Amino acid sequence: DTEVTQTPKHLVMGMTNKKSLKCEQHMGHRAMYWYKQKAKKPPELMFVYSYEKLSINESVPSRFSPECPNSSLLNLHLHALQPEDSALYLCASSLTPRVSSYEQYFGPGTRLTVT
Amino acid sequence: GENVEQHPSTLSVQEGDSAVIKCTYSDSASNYFPWYKQELGKRPQLIIDIRSNVGEKKDQRIAVTLNKTAKHFSLHITETQPEDSAVYFCAARPPSGGGADGLTFGKGTHLIIQP
């Protein structure tokens, strides 16, 4: 398996709902990332996990809660979102944080709409 | 933090001509510079990258150059084809403190190949 997968592809949720996004890779990568991408904008880094530990949180509101249960899986738990949180949520992974293996590979994303 | 500027925002070239996209970065310690291609509704795909210890890298019709002194890097696409039409993002990776670091992206260039 040589790619990053994400589920669901599309998600519509109300502002009082709780939902989760899921990201999976079976390439043995030990660094995983969440990015947010608004229309016609570049991806913006949200969280970084290195060896299953949260290493970067880019001042993301607490209504977004990441979780890395194991080296293959990354979740993003969503609660009490706002309409402005509607975006494409991209997961990415890289082999390790070391200089020889920086390449980040993106999943197809989850298109989130908050109503 | 790192800041990446990208120009132009839109680039229209005739099929068969060359295209050049330029980026500058602010953190002189950044050490990895990838380029991503994103087609409408799809994930960003890594097309080429360069590390700070290299000045130029080429892969078939695509090349990237890096000038560390001036803190700028460029993407060159030769013999452009219709399938090259997409949004291209440059990115920079600030140095790691031991954990994984995410990428800071430029705003993107919409490349249009005119038949």
Side-chain angles (χ1 to χ4, degrees):
Chain A
D1 194 341
T2 57
E3 66 172 14
V4 178
T5 59
Q6 289 185 244
T7 54
K9 288 186 179 179
H10 301 275
L11 178 62
V12 179
M13 60 184 291
M15 289 189 284
T16 58
N17 292 159
K18 283 186 181 181
K19 296 285 185 183
S20 296
L21 310 184
K22 180 178 173 181
C23 173
E24 205 160 358
Q25 56 86 15
H26 296 286
M27 297 179 280
H29 289 183
R30 302 307 298 275
M32 296 185 77
Y33 312 79
W34 280 115
Y35 289 85
K36 173 183 177 180
Q37 187 177 27
K38 301 279 273 184
K40 299 187 178 181
K41 298 288 186 184
E44 291 182 7
L45 183 66
M46 299 175 72
F47 301 104
V48 180
Y49 273 83
S50 176
Y51 296 97
E52 295 90 69
K53 287 185 169 41
L54 184 65
S55 69
I56 292 179
N57 174 343
E58 290 285 2
S59 302
V60 178
S62 60
R63 56 186 184 268
F64 295 92
S65 175
E67 179 196 18
C68 191
N70 59 57
S71 60
S72 299
L73 193 54
L74 184 67
N75 297 320
L76 186 63
H77 303 297
L78 314 173
H79 174 55
L81 294 194
Q82 304 295 312
E84 59 264 28
D85 296 322
S86 298
L88 181 67
Y89 287 84
L90 292 161
C91 173
S93 70
S94 60
L95 184 58
T96 73
R98 290 198 295 270
V99 66
S100 60
S101 52
Y102 283 167
E103 293 89 344
Q104 288 188 26
Y105 297 96
F106 284 86
T110 293
R111 177 79 57 190
L112 174 67
T113 304
V114 182
T115 61
Chain B
E2 176 63 277
N3 182 48
V4 178
E5 300 281 341
Q6 182 172 349
H7 299 280
S9 56
T10 304
L11 178 60
S12 181
V13 302
Q14 289 294 125
E15 182 179 350
D17 288 350
S18 295
V20 180
I21 303 171
K22 298 183 179 183
C23 289
T24 60
Y25 59 99
S26 61
D27 189 339
S28 57
S30 285
N31 55 13
Y32 174 66
F33 307 93
W35 286 88
Y36 285 85
K37 174 184 180 182
Q38 189 173 28
E39 296 176 70
L40 190 63
K42 296 193 175 180
R43 73 186 82 190
Q45 288 201 301
L46 178 67
I47 57 170
I48 197 166
D49 57 13
I50 192 166
R51 286 169 172 74
S52 56
N53 59 349
V54 175
E56 185 173 357
K57 184 176 177 181
K58 191 173 180 180
D59 182 3
Q60 299 183 351
R61 296 187 297 109
I62 295 172
V64 57
T65 58
L66 172 64
N67 183 326
K68 283 174 57 179
T69 304
K71 290 188 286 186
H72 70 69
F73 56 113
S74 301
L75 177 71
H76 304 253
I77 306 174
T78 58
E79 300 171 19
T80 52
Q81 300 168 4
E83 54 264 35
D84 294 330
S85 294
V87 178
Y88 290 80
F89 292 102
C90 63
R93 182 191 185 281
S96 166
D101 283 322
L103 299 172
T104 299
F105 285 84
K107 291 192 187 308
T109 296
H110 185 192
L111 177 62
I112 301 165
I113 308 301
Q114 303 278 7

